[in-house]
Amino acid sequence: MSFRVVRSSKFRHVYGSALKREQCYDNIRVSKSSWDSTFCAVNPKFLAIIVESAGGGAFIVLPLNKVGRIAADHPLVGGHKGPVLDIAWCPHNDNVIASGSEDCVVKVWQIPDSGISRTLTEPVVDLLYHQRRVGLVLWHPAAQNVLLTAGSDNQVVVWNVGTGEVLVHIDSHPDIVYSASWNWDGSQLLTTCKDKKMRLIDPRTGTVQEEAVCHEGSKATRAIFLKSGLIFTTGFSKMSERQYSLRAPEHLSEPIVMVELDTSNGVMFPLYDPDTNLVYLCGKGDSVIRYFEITAEPPFVHYINTFQTPDPQRGIGMMPKRGCDVNSCEITRFYRLNNSGLCQVVTMTVPRKSELFQEDLYPDTAGDQPAISAEDWVAGKDAEPILISLREGYVPSTQKFDLKVSRRSNVLDKMPPKGSRGSSGSTGISAGFTGGAATVQLPDKFLEEFHEEIRKLKAVIVKHETRIKALEARLTAAPAPGNPGGEEEGRVGDGLGVGQPPRGTSESLNNTHTSPPMALSQELAPDEV
């Protein structure tokens, strides 16, 4: 007699439910770009969605409480000259977002707490390095102001956003980079490439520690680091069947698990919750969200359930755990983008009868405070993200700092940027943006030289004005010349300032027989006429 033992798991009954339409976001012109991106990023304050925009690229930023139908003329973040391909919120500052675009530029923006009231076109900083479109932006999980970008020029760059400088340049990919993922403390980097290989890279030196074929299919692959150090990948087989696999570092070429799902064409995005060890697979163009639990017992990747919707999804965003509602046992919240312009909110909930705080569902999670600085990380220091408790709900950090960019001094520091006539000047060589308002700061030496030049120019003008007034007064008081030699005098001294006066006109300028032109030419110096 055979019987089946049901696996014991507290997430076995997780179910998804979509909120009512009036609690979602409607009338959003979602981007029609064919780039494989989620097109959506969300944090406990804002929802950002890449949208269609004429004359360049833009994305919309909405406060989470601004639900319902969005006005067609709602302000956008639109400083890019090409379509925006990817966006990512900073994990340590809920007001800072980075965007990559087809114009080869990465921009970092500061969003006011109340949202944007007019179209925002001035970023905090422009990061210029890539020679082709930038399709991937990713923040470091523990280090402050460390941002990774990857472009179609096959380059991966790690930036210090606080100074706008390149920290590390990784040139080890022969083709386009599809995805990138940091491990839990940010000491290793995992990438997938169009050459079908995945690479384990030291992000400080750019050296490849290990590489292996990810999936044998030619379509896009994705790979993420799990909190335990294992690697979860999605891709396609040679027969274009969608697959997922689980692998261990140092044995990348030998998957622990390799499972085929279906034969759909959409790229699958693995979204990972490190607190519950759940992986959600969201395919582009799919109408389902599959979720799995990763455990240490075979078969290691346990299928739990599928959330079904009638509409295919164009993009999706996942809320960090600190933005979930702990009172209703909500463990994850998704923001699904439909082709109809609706951003649908889907909550994943564990059914519990008790209304008390469920410690087993909500272990300490990553907070909004950076563990180390960018300088410490570059120097070789690693640190795990600082964890916070959600027992009393998420409380934003009291130590809130606006993103400041301090560039090193160079010759261009003496030149104010375009469109900064209304900016206020002060000391220093840094530029900061708060609430969308710009403050341009110039060196003291430059300001002193500028004031000294203005003072000298005013002195010259006053001197000339006094002299002209005196000459006008003399001309008014002098009688008309009756000397028949006046014509010759005017010809000899007609403003050249070098002719000698004829005989009989060598007296002083007070002589009433001297013609006015002659007097004017002798009174003024050659460079003052």
Side-chain angles (χ1 to χ4, degrees):
M1 181 177 178
S2 64
F3 61 92
R4 181 181 178 185
V5 178
V6 178
R7 186 179 66 91
S8 175
S9 173
K10 55 193 169 188
F11 303 111
R12 193 158 53 93
H13 299 291
V14 172
Y15 68 94
S17 58
L19 300 186
K20 296 180 180 179
R21 195 178 186 96
E22 54 267 22
Q23 295 176 287
C24 302
Y25 308 85
D26 203 355
N27 193 35
I28 297 175
R29 304 186 307 274
V30 182
S31 173
K32 297 179 181 178
S33 172
S34 60
W35 186 256
D36 290 325
S37 172
T38 57
F39 294 148
C40 181
V42 63
N43 65 19
K45 278 187 179 180
F46 300 106
L47 167 67
I49 302 171
I50 301 175
V51 297
E52 282 291 306
S53 176
F59 58 95
I60 190 171
V61 175
L62 302 170
L64 290 185
N65 58 6
K66 188 177 179 58
V67 296
R69 188 176 180 84
I70 307 301
D73 59 347
H74 192 279
L76 304 174
V77 180
H80 285 285
K81 297 180 181 179
V84 177
L85 300 180
D86 195 22
I87 52 178
W89 288 103
C90 177
H92 308 125
N93 190 334
D94 288 340
N95 296 78
V96 174
I97 187 171
S99 60
S101 169
E102 285 191 5
D103 62 4
C104 310
V105 181
V106 178
K107 295 179 181 287
V108 181
W109 311 84
Q110 178 98 25
I111 307 298
D113 285 333
S114 58
I116 54 177
S117 57
R118 57 184 178 85
T119 297
L120 185 61
T121 57
E122 291 294 334
V124 178
V125 62
D126 288 334
L127 305 179
L128 304 173
Y129 185 91
H130 293 283
Q131 300 299 314
R132 298 187 65 183
R133 62 183 179 179
V134 181
L136 177 64
V137 291
L138 181 68
W139 293 90
H140 193 281
Q144 185 178 23
N145 292 339
V146 175
L147 178 68
L148 178 143
T149 63
S152 296
D153 53 1
N154 311 336
Q155 308 296 313
V156 176
V157 181
V158 181
W159 303 84
N160 182 353
V161 176
T163 59
E165 296 177 333
V166 174
L167 296 179
V168 183
H169 168 228
I170 302 173
D171 185 14
S172 56
H173 299 86
D175 215 323
I176 297 175
V177 178
Y178 282 140
S179 70
S181 175
W182 300 97
N183 66 344
W184 178 242
D185 61 358
S187 60
Q188 285 184 312
L189 179 66
L190 176 68
T191 64
T192 59
C193 182
K194 194 175 181 180
D195 66 351
K196 304 180 183 180
K197 291 185 178 180
M198 57 192 303
R199 291 171 172 84
L200 203 57
I201 300 174
D202 183 345
R204 296 185 181 90
T205 62
T207 57
V208 178
Q209 299 173 339
E210 188 179 1
E211 69 176 34
V213 174
C214 187
H215 292 272
E216 294 182 349
S218 59
K219 296 182 182 179
T221 57
R222 302 272 159 173
I224 57 173
F225 259 117
L226 305 183
K227 187 176 181 179
S228 61
L230 297 179
I231 294 170
F232 188 90
T233 70
T234 62
F236 294 81
S237 67
K238 285 184 177 180
M239 305 301 293
S240 294
E241 296 171 321
R242 294 200 294 191
Q243 300 174 322
Y244 69 80
S245 71
L246 184 68
R247 306 167 190 247
E250 300 180 0
H251 300 88
L252 291 182
S253 58
E254 302 174 0
I256 301 173
V257 175
M258 177 77 79
V259 177
E260 295 180 353
L261 280 177
D262 52 29
T263 56
S264 179
N265 294 324
V267 176
M268 285 192 301
F269 298 99
L271 303 178
Y272 176 58
D273 181 4
D275 299 331
T276 60
N277 242 10
L278 294 180
V279 173
Y280 301 83
L281 296 186
C282 310
K284 198 170 185 179
D286 290 358
S287 57
V288 299
I289 299 177
R290 299 180 178 91
Y291 40 106
F292 304 80
E293 183 179 5
I294 313 296
T295 65
E297 58 189 33
F300 306 107
V301 181
H302 303 272
Y303 169 76
I304 297 179
N305 209 340
T306 299
F307 173 75
Q308 181 80 38
T309 59
D311 301 320
Q313 58 205 13
R314 179 149 187 79
I316 194 165
M318 182 178 179
M319 173 70 76
K321 184 57 65 70
R322 53 194 173 92
C324 295
D325 182 9
V326 298
N327 296 322
S328 62
C329 296
E330 178 189 37
I331 58 172
T332 311
R333 188 187 310 162
F334 293 107
Y335 292 76
R336 294 180 66 254
L337 306 179
N338 298 337
N339 292 325
S340 61
L342 174 68
C343 179
Q344 187 180 35
V345 183
V346 178
T347 63
M348 294 291 178
T349 308
V350 177
R352 293 282 174 94
K353 293 182 179 180
S354 175
E355 296 181 356
L356 300 177
F357 178 74
Q358 308 295 316
E359 293 186 4
D360 59 333
L361 297 182
Y362 299 102
D364 290 351
T365 188
D368 58 353
Q369 285 293 312
I372 55 176
S373 66
E375 291 76 13
D376 291 339
W377 180 80
V378 173
K381 184 178 179 180
D382 289 320
E384 294 187 353
I386 298 177
L387 305 181
I388 60 174
S389 174
L390 298 178
R391 176 176 291 275
E392 304 298 331
Y394 167 63
V395 179
S397 174
T398 56
Q399 296 181 350
K400 179 186 174 183
F401 300 100
D402 290 336
L403 177 61
K404 299 291 184 181
V405 179
S406 301
R407 294 184 179 274
R408 294 183 178 179
S409 177
N410 55 55
V411 68
L412 296 180
D413 288 333
K414 295 186 178 182
M415 301 174 60
K418 296 180 180 179
S420 62
R421 291 181 298 174
S423 303
S424 60
S426 63
T427 62
I429 313 177
S430 64
F433 283 70
T434 304
T439 302
V440 179
Q441 302 174 347
L442 300 174
D444 288 339
K445 183 179 179 181
F446 173 69
L447 293 177
E448 292 175 359
E449 294 176 357
F450 187 67
H451 288 312
E452 181 65 19
E453 291 294 332
I454 292 178
R455 190 190 63 77
K456 291 180 180 180
L457 182 60
K458 286 182 178 180
V460 172
I461 292 176
V462 170
K463 182 179 179 181
H464 283 212
E465 185 177 4
T466 303
R467 185 172 296 179
I468 290 173
K469 286 183 178 179
L471 292 176
E472 287 179 347
R474 294 176 184 178
L475 291 175
T476 303
N483 191 339
E487 181 179 351
E488 182 182 355
E489 294 166 4
R491 180 183 59 80
V492 175
D494 54 358
L496 298 178
V498 295
Q500 297 294 327
R503 289 179 299 173
T505 59
S506 60
E507 298 84 18
S508 67
L509 287 174
N510 291 328
N511 192 332
T512 58
H513 295 288
T514 305
S515 62
M518 184 64 187
L520 182 62
S521 63
Q522 290 187 347
E523 179 69 18
L524 297 177
D527 59 339
E528 296 173 342
V529 176

